[in-house]
Amino acid sequence: ILSSGDIATAFFNKIISKKIPIKTLGSPKLKNLKIKKININNRILFIPSGDEQEAHFFTKFAFDFAKKYPELNILIRFHPVINIKKFIKRFPKIDNFNISKSKIEYDSKQSRYVIYSTSTAVFESISLGCIPIRLYWNSVNDLSDPLWQLKSKLLKSIESQVDLYEIIYKNKYSDNN
Protein backbone atom coordinates (compact mmCIF):
# COMPACT_ATOMS: atom_id res chain seq x y z
CA ILE A 1 0.00 0.00 0.00
CA LEU A 2 1.29 3.45 -0.90
CA SER A 3 0.19 6.20 1.46
CA SER A 4 0.26 9.96 0.99
CA GLY A 5 2.37 10.82 4.04
CA ASP A 6 3.72 9.79 7.43
CA ILE A 7 0.40 10.39 9.20
CA ALA A 8 -1.47 8.09 6.78
CA THR A 9 1.30 5.48 6.98
CA ALA A 10 1.06 5.41 10.77
CA PHE A 11 -2.73 5.13 10.53
CA PHE A 12 -2.55 2.17 8.13
CA ASN A 13 0.15 0.47 10.19
CA LYS A 14 -2.12 0.68 13.21
CA ILE A 15 -5.21 -0.86 11.58
CA ILE A 16 -3.80 -3.25 8.97
CA SER A 17 -1.91 -6.45 9.52
CA LYS A 18 1.88 -6.21 9.48
CA LYS A 19 1.89 -8.71 6.59
CA ILE A 20 0.98 -5.96 4.11
CA PRO A 21 3.87 -3.58 3.36
CA ILE A 22 3.00 0.10 3.59
CA LYS A 23 5.26 2.73 2.00
CA THR A 24 5.03 6.50 2.22
CA LEU A 25 4.76 8.22 -1.14
CA GLY A 26 4.19 11.96 -1.16
CA SER A 27 5.16 15.08 0.68
CA PRO A 28 5.55 14.82 4.44
CA LYS A 29 3.17 16.85 6.58
CA LEU A 30 4.99 17.90 9.71
CA LYS A 31 3.61 19.15 12.99
CA ASN A 32 4.72 22.68 13.73
CA LEU A 33 4.27 23.03 17.47
CA LYS A 34 5.64 26.59 17.63
CA ILE A 35 2.50 28.22 16.20
CA LYS A 36 -0.29 28.09 18.76
CA LYS A 37 -2.39 31.11 17.77
CA ILE A 38 -4.63 31.74 14.82
CA ASN A 39 -3.38 34.48 12.52
CA ILE A 40 -5.12 37.78 13.16
CA ASN A 41 -4.95 39.40 9.71
CA ASN A 42 -7.93 38.86 7.46
CA ARG A 43 -6.30 37.63 4.24
CA ILE A 44 -8.11 34.67 2.72
CA LEU A 45 -5.91 32.05 1.07
CA PHE A 46 -7.45 29.76 -1.56
CA ILE A 47 -5.56 26.52 -2.24
CA PRO A 48 -7.07 24.45 -5.04
CA SER A 49 -5.59 21.04 -5.75
CA GLY A 50 -3.77 20.12 -8.96
CA ASP A 51 -7.09 19.24 -10.63
CA GLU A 52 -7.69 21.77 -13.43
CA GLN A 53 -11.47 21.86 -12.97
CA GLU A 54 -11.06 22.52 -9.26
CA ALA A 55 -8.47 25.24 -9.96
CA HIS A 56 -10.83 26.93 -12.42
CA PHE A 57 -13.78 26.76 -10.01
CA PHE A 58 -11.68 28.10 -7.12
CA THR A 59 -10.28 30.95 -9.23
CA LYS A 60 -13.73 32.04 -10.39
CA PHE A 61 -15.16 31.72 -6.87
CA ALA A 62 -12.24 33.70 -5.33
CA PHE A 63 -12.33 36.38 -8.04
CA ASP A 64 -16.10 36.88 -7.78
CA PHE A 65 -15.81 36.98 -3.97
CA ALA A 66 -13.07 39.62 -4.20
CA LYS A 67 -15.23 41.75 -6.53
CA LYS A 68 -18.24 41.44 -4.20
CA TYR A 69 -16.25 42.24 -1.03
CA PRO A 70 -13.48 44.71 -2.01
CA GLU A 71 -12.53 45.28 1.65
CA LEU A 72 -11.23 41.69 1.90
CA ASN A 73 -7.78 40.61 0.70
CA ILE A 74 -7.91 37.44 -1.44
CA LEU A 75 -4.89 35.35 -2.40
CA ILE A 76 -4.97 32.21 -4.54
CA ARG A 77 -2.08 29.76 -4.57
CA PHE A 78 -2.04 27.22 -7.37
CA HIS A 79 -0.69 23.70 -7.18
CA PRO A 80 2.68 23.44 -9.00
CA VAL A 81 1.21 21.26 -11.79
CA ILE A 82 -1.26 23.99 -12.81
CA ASN A 83 -0.39 26.35 -15.66
CA ILE A 84 -0.94 29.69 -13.87
CA LYS A 85 -0.76 31.76 -17.09
CA LYS A 86 -3.87 29.98 -18.33
CA PHE A 87 -5.82 31.35 -15.36
CA ILE A 88 -4.26 34.82 -15.12
CA LYS A 89 -5.47 35.95 -18.53
CA ARG A 90 -9.09 34.94 -17.83
CA PHE A 91 -9.52 37.45 -15.00
CA PRO A 92 -8.86 41.22 -15.07
CA LYS A 93 -6.64 42.78 -12.42
CA ILE A 94 -8.36 44.01 -9.25
CA ASP A 95 -6.58 45.34 -6.16
CA ASN A 96 -7.79 42.80 -3.60
CA PHE A 97 -7.30 39.63 -5.70
CA ASN A 98 -3.75 38.33 -6.09
CA ILE A 99 -2.08 35.18 -7.33
CA SER A 100 0.69 33.93 -5.08
CA LYS A 101 4.28 33.72 -6.19
CA SER A 102 5.49 32.89 -2.66
CA LYS A 103 5.95 29.67 -0.74
CA ILE A 104 3.01 28.08 1.07
CA GLU A 105 4.65 28.84 4.43
CA TYR A 106 4.74 32.59 3.75
CA ASP A 107 1.20 32.67 2.31
CA SER A 108 -0.19 30.73 5.26
CA LYS A 109 1.52 32.90 7.87
CA GLN A 110 0.00 35.98 6.19
CA SER A 111 -3.55 34.55 6.06
CA ARG A 112 -6.24 34.01 8.67
CA TYR A 113 -8.36 31.62 6.58
CA VAL A 114 -7.48 28.86 4.15
CA ILE A 115 -10.12 27.74 1.66
CA TYR A 116 -9.59 24.19 0.41
CA SER A 117 -11.44 21.27 -1.11
CA THR A 118 -9.09 18.34 -1.70
CA SER A 119 -5.64 19.90 -1.32
CA THR A 120 -3.49 18.35 1.41
CA ALA A 121 -1.62 21.67 1.64
CA VAL A 122 -4.37 22.54 4.12
CA PHE A 123 -2.37 20.65 6.79
CA GLU A 124 0.54 23.08 6.41
CA SER A 125 -1.73 26.11 6.47
CA ILE A 126 -3.44 24.92 9.65
CA SER A 127 -0.09 24.28 11.33
CA LEU A 128 0.89 27.87 10.47
CA GLY A 129 -2.19 29.46 12.06
CA CYS A 130 -4.96 29.41 9.41
CA ILE A 131 -8.59 28.53 10.04
CA PRO A 132 -9.63 25.88 7.48
CA ILE A 133 -12.83 26.34 5.48
CA ARG A 134 -13.89 23.57 3.12
CA LEU A 135 -15.44 24.69 -0.15
CA TYR A 136 -17.97 22.26 -1.59
CA TRP A 137 -18.44 22.77 -5.31
CA ASN A 138 -20.85 20.02 -6.35
CA SER A 139 -18.17 17.74 -7.74
CA VAL A 140 -17.15 14.15 -7.22
CA ASN A 141 -14.11 15.67 -5.48
CA ASP A 142 -16.42 16.73 -2.64
CA LEU A 143 -16.16 13.13 -1.42
CA SER A 144 -12.42 13.50 -0.77
CA ASP A 145 -11.72 15.67 2.30
CA PRO A 146 -8.12 15.49 3.57
CA LEU A 147 -9.38 16.52 7.05
CA TRP A 148 -12.06 13.84 7.26
CA GLN A 149 -10.66 12.42 10.50
CA LEU A 150 -10.46 15.72 12.39
CA LYS A 151 -13.18 16.82 14.77
CA SER A 152 -13.04 20.50 15.67
CA LYS A 153 -15.36 23.46 16.08
CA LEU A 154 -12.92 25.45 13.93
CA LEU A 155 -13.59 23.29 10.85
CA LYS A 156 -16.15 25.06 8.70
CA SER A 157 -17.78 24.21 5.38
CA ILE A 158 -19.23 26.49 2.73
CA GLU A 159 -21.11 26.20 -0.53
CA SER A 160 -21.49 29.87 -1.43
CA GLN A 161 -19.89 33.29 -1.18
CA VAL A 162 -22.52 34.30 1.38
CA ASP A 163 -21.53 31.33 3.56
CA LEU A 164 -17.88 32.41 3.42
CA TYR A 165 -18.66 36.04 4.24
CA GLU A 166 -20.80 35.01 7.23
CA ILE A 167 -17.95 32.93 8.68
CA ILE A 168 -15.49 35.79 8.21
CA TYR A 169 -17.89 38.34 9.66
CA LYS A 170 -18.54 36.17 12.76
CA ASN A 171 -14.78 35.84 13.37
CA LYS A 172 -13.95 39.45 12.46
CA TYR A 173 -13.25 40.62 16.01
CA SER A 174 -12.23 37.29 17.49
CA ASP A 175 -8.46 36.86 17.73
CA ASN A 176 -8.78 33.76 19.90
CA ASN A 177 -10.87 30.74 18.95
Side-chain angles (χ1 to χ4, degrees), residues 35-149:
I35 309 272
K36 294 192 182 202
K37 287 191 171 187
I38 293 169
N39 299 336
I40 60 171
N41 49 1
N42 275 324
R43 176 184 277 170
I44 303 163
L45 174 62
F46 284 79
I47 54 168
S49 72
D51 178 75
E52 209 164 294
Q53 286 180 320
E54 183 175 318
H56 179 1
F57 180 85
F58 265 61
T59 306
K60 183 166 177 18
F61 185 98
F63 181 81
D64 291 346
F65 187 79
K67 276 184 15 185
K68 191 172 186 176
Y69 303 104
E71 73 278 10
L72 297 173
N73 188 2
I74 309 301
L75 181 67
I76 189 162
R77 153 170 258 298
F78 290 104
H79 190 280
V81 301
I82 295 294
N83 179 358
I84 297 172
K85 291 176 185 173
K86 186 176 183 179
F87 290 95
I88 292 174
K89 57 184 170 185
R90 290 184 184 173
F91 299 94
K93 176 84 174 117
I94 57 175
D95 290 338
N96 65 325
F97 177 78
N98 294 294
I99 295 172
S100 173
K101 294 179 178 101
S102 304
K103 293 186 176 201
I104 184 86
E105 294 84 5
Y106 179 80
D107 292 340
S108 296
K109 287 178 184 176
Q110 302 301 313
S111 304
R112 181 176 180 99
Y113 304 96
V114 60
I115 313 303
Y116 77 100
S117 179
T118 61
S119 176
T120 58
V122 71
F123 287 107
E124 263 179 282
S125 294
I126 291 170
S127 73
L128 294 167
C130 292
I131 297 172
I133 301 173
R134 180 122 199 278
L135 175 56
Y136 286 96
W137 54 288
N138 202 19
S139 162
V140 71
N141 292 352
D142 286 345
L143 300 173
S144 178
D145 183 355
L147 302 181
W148 69 274
Q149 293 178 304

Side-chain angles (χ1 to χ4, degrees), residues 16-33:
I16 296 177
S17 166
K18 299 290 182 191
K19 294 179 182 178
I20 300 172
I22 300 168
K23 300 288 182 197
T24 303
L25 177 71
S27 60
K29 304 299 179 209
L30 304 174
K31 292 182 182 177
N32 185 343
L33 301 176

